[in-house]
Amino acid sequence: SQQGEEDPQALSIQEGENATMNCSYKTSINNLQWYRQNSGRGLVHLILIRSNEREKHSGRLRVTLDTSKKSSSLLITASRAADTASYFCATDAGWTSYGKLTFGQGTILTVHP
Amino acid sequence: EAQVTQNPRYLITVTGKKLTVTCSQNMNHEYMSWYRQDPGLGLRQIYYSMNVEVTDKGDVPEGYKVSRKEKRNFPLILESPSPNQTSLYFCASSFRGGLSGANVLTFGAGSRLTVL
């Protein structure tokens, strides 16, 4: 079953604007990750945040994690047309999950030039 | 270049004709897994392997087989494909490392399978 639920399902913005995507999950996690997928291609890992972290930055990406609410958000600042892709959150329960990541449904981001 | 290679990338086949999708990684990863991606259902894990000769079912294993005879290879076998196995398939590998054992996946480019 898919643990992560992402919101919104689709997001359309103009270049230069910020994009925020949200992810909720149901069970305890060791870490939460965000991946990007260009149309029909393989997923690429963007950023990982551990359960004991609240916020993490990587370039134009900012991820927050609220374990009390079981939710995470991904913020892309100053978006570019090249950011157009689907974005997935994935939860990792740690060693007990035997390598399995559980993915959300994804948010389709379209950035207009 | 570190990568996961899947073949074929595209395949159209008919019901019942056995096929194998190969997956190979050059990163010496212990973990390998197969996912399928379907519209509205996201990515679902089919099978995974923790190491050579160690495999186990994921969320949707019915109709699939796997084997892990070598560390680098993890083929997905459809013994008797059916139309409901039409999907986009991804192989992924990982090295679970670090103090917290985080599992970061490296994905292949995907194999789009159509079963008529």
Side-chain angles (χ1 to χ4, degrees):
Chain A
S1 61
Q2 295 295 314
Q3 170 165 235
E5 296 294 331
E6 298 190 53
D7 170 57
Q9 290 187 329
L11 181 60
S12 181
I13 59 174
Q14 296 295 128
E15 243 182 353
E17 295 180 340
N18 294 341
T20 300
M21 289 157 266
N22 303 297
C23 170
S24 62
Y25 58 92
K26 297 187 175 72
T27 60
S28 296
I29 61 170
N30 173 283
N31 64 81
L32 185 144
Q33 304 173 35
W34 287 88
Y35 288 78
R36 166 193 168 128
Q37 182 183 32
N38 286 75
S39 181
R41 308 287 296 273
L43 282 74
V44 175
H45 179 258
L46 293 176
I47 193 167
L48 177 152
I49 186 165
R50 303 186 192 283
S51 60
N52 62 352
E53 297 175 315
R54 292 297 168 258
E55 186 170 314
K56 202 159 182 183
H57 296 255
S58 177
R60 293 185 295 111
L61 304 179
R62 173 179 168 251
V63 172
T64 62
L65 179 65
D66 187 336
T67 53
S68 66
K69 295 181 179 177
K70 291 186 167 58
S71 67
S72 173
S73 67
L74 172 68
L75 168 67
I76 304 174
T77 60
S79 62
R80 307 165 181 166
D83 294 328
T84 294
S86 294
Y87 292 82
F88 294 85
C89 67
T91 54
D92 181 356
W95 289 104
T96 58
S97 66
Y98 300 109
K100 177 182 174 181
L101 294 187
T102 301
F103 286 84
Q105 304 277 347
T107 293
I108 301 171
L109 173 65
T110 303
V111 182
H112 300 281
Chain B
E1 181 189 352
Q3 60 185 357
V4 176
T5 303
Q6 298 178 226
N7 280 296
R9 294 287 317 282
Y10 301 92
L11 180 63
I12 300 174
T13 190
V14 295
T15 299
K17 186 176 181 182
K18 180 180 178 180
L19 68 92
T20 299
V21 186
T22 63
C23 174
S24 180
Q25 51 94 3
N26 61 1
M27 296 165 282
N28 203 35
H29 285 167
E30 287 93 0
Y31 286 92
M32 297 187 75
S33 59
W34 278 101
Y35 286 82
R36 62 178 287 174
Q37 184 177 27
D38 302 287
L41 297 176
L43 280 91
R44 296 176 291 169
Q45 190 185 56
I46 303 170
Y47 268 95
Y48 66 93
S49 170
M50 294 173 68
N51 215 322
V52 176
E53 301 293 0
V54 181
T55 64
D56 208 346
K57 298 176 181 178
D59 295 320
V60 288
E62 295 78 19
Y64 304 95
K65 284 177 59 177
V66 293
S67 67
R68 187 92 181 274
K69 293 185 172 56
E70 305 165 285
K71 197 171 188 178
R72 62 182 295 129
N73 295 323
F74 190 44
L76 179 70
I77 302 157
L78 285 73
E79 294 271 3
S80 183
S82 62
N84 65 10
Q85 292 178 297
T86 292
S87 186
L88 179 57
Y89 291 88
F90 290 103
C91 180
S93 71
S94 64
F95 169 68
R96 186 181 278 276
L99 290 176
S100 66
N103 185 35
V104 175
L105 295 179
T106 301
F107 280 83
S111 296
R112 186 168 293 278
L113 171 65
T114 301
V115 183
L116 302 175

